[in-house]
Amino acid sequence: MTDPIADYLTRLRNAIKASHRIVEIPASNLKKEITKVLHDKGYIQNYKFEDNGAQGTIKIALKYNPATKKNAIVSLQRVSTPGLRKYVKHTELPRVINGLGVAVISTSKGVMTDKEARVEGVGGEVLCYVY
């Protein structure tokens, strides 16, 4: 697999389109950190890391609005790809839908949102946009 982050986002997208409650994804440290950011920002309901075998899995409980049956995640978009990495300075951090969405950034201080990176004053690789 050449792009595990794109695979992670695609599995989430497919589970949302199929209205699944839980999705299982092969684990890695970067995927775990992205999952923690999505949970902290309220895009997923819960998550659980299972260490079975060599790699382990991440079980993610998706968040739906009970009245409308709509998912909390409207769009997941991969920005930096293995063929074309996208790095930004702390002064050029992107704003997703004028601050309503979240850009997930991989920085030297860990994986964080664009807002947190602005406060910390660090730039990094823009992994994905979530809204």
Side-chain angles (χ1 to χ4, degrees):
M1 181 181 315
T2 58
D3 193 0
I5 304 303
D7 179 62
Y8 172 86
L9 297 175
T10 301
R11 286 176 189 247
L12 280 176
R13 238 183 265 120
N14 290 342
I16 290 167
K17 285 192 179 197
S19 299
H20 289 193
R21 292 280 176 204
I22 296 175
V23 60
E24 288 190 25
I25 299 171
S28 73
N29 288 336
L30 185 58
K31 291 178 192 176
K32 288 178 182 179
E33 293 300 316
I34 294 172
T35 304
K36 289 177 186 175
V37 168
L38 291 177
H39 182 262
D40 292 342
K41 295 301 166 191
Y43 287 107
I44 59 175
Q45 189 171 13
N46 209 347
Y47 63 91
K48 182 176 171 184
F49 303 135
E50 293 185 353
D51 292 327
N52 50 359
Q55 190 173 11
T57 58
I58 305 170
K59 283 190 175 181
I60 298 175
L62 298 173
K63 189 175 190 178
Y64 290 94
N65 184 345
T68 61
K69 306 288 189 226
K70 297 271 185 179
N71 195 287
I73 299 173
V74 175
S75 175
L76 292 163
Q77 184 180 3
R78 179 79 160 118
V79 178
S80 183
T81 61
L84 182 62
R85 300 287 184 189
K86 173 133 188 218
Y87 296 99
V88 293
K89 299 177 190 175
H90 72 280
T91 57
E92 300 169 356
L93 286 166
R95 291 182 54 154
V96 182
I97 309 180
N98 210 14
L100 295 176
V102 171
V104 180
I105 314 287
S106 176
T107 68
S108 58
K109 294 185 178 181
V111 177
M112 59 182 74
T113 66
D114 56 333
K115 295 167 190 156
E116 294 167 350
R118 268 190 211 92
V119 171
E120 293 282 331
V122 292
E125 182 180 359
V126 182
L127 298 176
C128 61
Y129 296 151
V130 182
Y131 57 90

